[in-house]
Amino acid sequence: MMTFTKHLIASITIRIFLVYYGEVQDSLSDVQYTDIDYRVVTDGAAHVLSLDSPFKRHTYRYTPLLAYLVLPNVLLHRSFGKFLFSLFDILIGVLIKWILLNCYRGNKISIEKKLLKLETLNNRNKYLIKRKNEILNNSNETLPPKYIRMAELSAYFWLYNPLTMVIATRGNGDCVSCSLVLLSLFFLLRNEQTFTQHFTAGLLLGLSIHFRLYPIGFCLAFYLATLDKPLTTVKDYLRAILLPNAQQLALVLGTCLSLATTTAFFYYLYGYQFLYESTLYHLIRKDTRHNFSLYFYLQYLGSNFSPTLIEKILTFLPQLILILMLTLRYGKHRQTLGFALFAIAFVMVTYNPVVTSQYFVWFLSLLPLSVKNFRNMGLRKAVFIPVMWFIAQGGWLLPAYLLEFKGWNTFEFIWIQSVVFFFSNILTLQMLVANYDVSYNYKIE
C-alpha cells in the first residue's frame, strides 16, 4: 500500500506532466491550455521588473503580490508560475490532512478529559490526575490508524481531483488564497488555543482577503467559532460579538493588521489604481462571455447600461441572507467550522454575478474537510452529485465553445445552461446539508 508521501510524489508528478502537456497543446492547438490570466499576470511581472506598476498591463486585476511571486516567469522560465501554483495546490492537500488529524485529536482529547474528570471525582488516584494533566498539555495524542487513513483519503480527494489539477497547472493563482484560508483554519483549530495562535490565524486570514475578496465572508464564522460556547439567544450573539474574549481580539487584530498593512503598502506604491483594479472592480465586474452565473444573460442584455440600485440589492441580498444563515447554523462551533466555510464559499460562487471555473477551487478546497461527516449519504447519492454537477457544467461549456471559437450566436443556449447549472448547484448544496452528520462518532480504542 502506498504511503501518503508516495501519493504526494505521484500527485506532484501528474502536475509536472500537465504543465509540460500544456506547453505542447499551446503550440499545436487554437484552444490554449494556459489560462489567459496567467499571461496577464506574467506581463504584470514584466512591468514590475521594469520598476513600473503591474496595472500598466490592461486587465491586470489582482494584488501586486501575485506579480512579485511570478517574477521568475520573466527571469527564468515562462512556466515557473505554473510549478509554483502547483506547489500551493499540493500544500492544500497536506493542510487538509493536518486539519483533520487535529480535529480527530482534539475530539479524542476532549472525550478522555471528560472520562478522566469523572474518574478523578470518584477516585483521587495520583495516576489519573497525572494522566489528566498529560492530556491537557499534549496535543500529539496517538490516533487509531483508521482515523489517520480517513484524513489521508480526504486529502486524496483534493490531490487527485482532475478539475483542481488542471486549474492550477493552467496557471491560475487561486490556490494561493485557498492555501492561506486553510492555513488560517489550521492555526485557528489547533488545540492549544493561545493568543499567538489566533493572532497568526488572523494574519493569514487578512492576507487571504488581500489576495481574494471571498474570504471576507468567513470572518463572522471565524469570530464566532473562536468563542466556542453555546449561542442560543439573541443576547448570547450580541454578547459574543460586542464583548470579545482574548482569542477573538487576537484574531481581529491579526486580520486587520495584515489586511491594512498590505493595502496601505501597495496603495503607497501604486495609488488609487491599485484599490480600484484589485478590489473595487470586482464589486462591479461584468462578464458576458466566460460566465457560468445565473445573471449572465441579464448582464449581456444590459451591457450598455449601469445596473440600478434595486438590481444590485436583488443580486446580492439572497447570498447575503444565506451566508448569514449558514454562519449562524454551522459557523459557531469549531467542530462544524470547516463545513460552514465550504457552504459559505459554495453560496458565494453560486450566487455571484460572475462565475468562472477557477472559482470552484474556493469551495472544493474546503469540501474534503467534511467528507468524513457525510456518513449517511450512501453510494448512490455520492455518485449522483458529482456526475450531475459535471454534466451541468459540460452542458454550459458546449455553447460557450461555439460562441468563443466558432462565432455562433449561442447566448440564449448559454443562458439556459446557466439556469440548469445554478439549480444543479442548489440541489448539490441541499443534498450535502441534508446528509451532513455533525458528530464525529469517535470511539476510544
Side-chain angles (χ1 to χ4, degrees), residues 195 198 226 244-251:
F195 182 92
H198 287 85
T226 303
N245 57 29
Q247 288 83 1
Q248 288 174 312
L249 287 174
L251 178 71

Side-chain angles (χ1 to χ4, degrees), residues 4 100 106 114 120 139 181 219 274 289 300 302 304 308 366 379:
F4 185 71
L100 288 176
K114 292 176 181 178
T120 50
S139 63
V181 169
C219 288
F274 151 70
R289 294 184 73 86
Y300 169 68
N304 295 324
T308 65
L366 294 162
L379 181 60

Side-chain angles (χ1 to χ4, degrees), residues 76-224:
L76 298 177
H77 193 276
R78 63 178 180 271
S79 293
F80 174 87
K82 295 180 182 179
F83 290 112
L84 179 65
F85 297 151
S86 295
L87 282 178
F88 276 102
D89 202 40
I90 295 295
L91 175 62
I92 290 173
V94 175
L95 286 169
I96 288 168
K97 178 185 175 181
W98 288 356
I99 291 170
L100 288 176
L101 287 179
N102 188 68
C103 289
Y104 280 128
R105 196 173 289 121
N107 197 54
K108 181 176 187 288
I109 292 171
S110 177
I111 291 174
E112 290 199 9
K113 279 164 57 178
K114 292 176 181 178
L115 290 175
L116 285 170
K117 183 178 180 180
L118 291 174
E119 291 185 28
T120 50
L121 284 174
N122 299 322
N123 183 359
R124 303 298 296 177
N125 186 291
K126 290 183 179 180
Y127 168 77
L128 292 175
I129 296 173
K130 180 182 178 182
R131 175 62 182 146
K132 178 183 176 183
N133 291 331
E134 286 177 354
I135 292 172
L136 286 169
N137 297 319
N138 183 15
S139 63
N140 296 315
E141 291 290 302
T142 303
L143 287 170
K146 69 176 183 179
Y147 297 104
I148 297 175
R149 181 65 177 163
M150 186 66 218
E152 292 178 348
L153 287 173
S154 299
Y156 301 152
F157 180 86
W158 173 268
L159 292 174
Y160 291 113
N161 189 321
L163 179 63
T164 57
M165 283 194 289
V166 167
I167 288 174
T169 55
R170 290 185 67 213
N172 180 265
D174 278 284
C175 51
V176 178
S177 57
C178 291
S179 60
L180 288 170
V181 169
L182 285 169
L183 267 173
S184 179
L185 185 62
F186 170 73
F187 278 98
L188 187 80
L189 295 179
R190 291 185 66 179
N191 298 310
E192 292 83 354
Q193 294 294 293
T194 62
F195 182 92
T196 304
Q197 164 193 335
H198 287 85
F199 180 73
T200 304
L203 287 175
L204 292 164
L205 180 61
L207 189 57
S208 70
I209 296 171
H210 174 76
F211 264 89
R212 277 291 197 182
L213 283 177
Y214 80 92
I216 202 168
F218 303 155
C219 288
L220 181 58
F222 269 70
Y223 186 83
L224 293 178

Side-chain angles (χ1 to χ4, degrees), residues 325-346:
M325 291 174 62
L326 289 166
T327 299
L328 297 181
R329 176 65 180 89
Y330 297 107
K332 59 185 179 180
H333 301 296
R334 286 162 53 85
Q335 292 87 347
T336 58
L337 181 58
F339 184 70
L341 301 187
F342 159 74
I344 290 169
F346 198 97

Side-chain angles (χ1 to χ4, degrees), residues 44 47-48 51-57 269-270 273:
H47 284 293
V48 168
L51 302 181
D52 213 336
S53 167
F55 301 104
K56 287 288 183 70
R57 194 336 178 155
L269 290 180
Y270 305 118
Q273 189 180 21

Side-chain angles (χ1 to χ4, degrees), residues 280-425:
L280 300 178
Y281 168 80
H282 296 284
L283 300 177
I284 59 173
R285 178 185 175 188
K286 291 182 178 181
D287 192 334
T288 59
R289 294 184 73 86
H290 311 91
N291 192 355
F292 287 93
S293 175
L294 178 69
Y295 306 109
F296 157 78
Y297 201 50
L298 176 66
Q299 293 180 28
Y300 169 68
L301 295 176
S303 57
N304 295 324
F305 304 94
S306 298
T308 65
L309 179 61
I310 294 178
E311 287 176 349
K312 291 181 179 179
I313 292 174
L314 292 178
T315 299
F316 284 100
L317 191 59
Q319 64 172 300
L320 186 62
I321 294 172
L322 285 172
I323 289 170
L324 184 60
M325 291 174 62
L326 289 166
T327 299
L328 297 181
R329 176 65 180 89
Y330 297 107
K332 59 185 179 180
H333 301 296
R334 286 162 53 85
Q335 292 87 347
T336 58
L337 181 58
F339 184 70
L341 301 187
F342 159 74
I344 290 169
F346 198 97
V347 165
M348 292 178 75
V349 172
T350 300
Y351 284 83
N352 205 46
V354 177
V355 181
T356 58
S357 296
Q358 56 261 40
Y359 291 5
F360 300 152
V361 300
W362 298 357
F363 59 79
L364 287 175
S365 61
L366 294 162
L367 179 58
L369 300 178
S370 302
V371 168
K372 61 182 174 22
N373 297 102
F374 299 127
R375 298 184 177 181
N376 300 321
M377 182 173 291
L379 181 60
R380 186 175 299 177
K381 288 181 182 177
V383 172
F384 171 76
I385 290 175
V387 169
M388 172 192 66
W389 191 76
F390 276 109
I391 289 176
Q393 186 180 159
W396 183 93
L397 290 171
L398 176 59
Y401 169 81
L402 295 174
L403 169 68
E404 184 70 19
F405 294 97
K406 302 298 182 181
W408 295 11
N409 184 358
T410 58
F411 284 102
E412 291 184 359
F413 293 102
I414 294 175
W415 171 67
I416 292 171
Q417 288 302 134
S418 295
V419 174
V420 172
F421 187 61
F422 174 81
F423 281 105
S424 72
N425 280 333

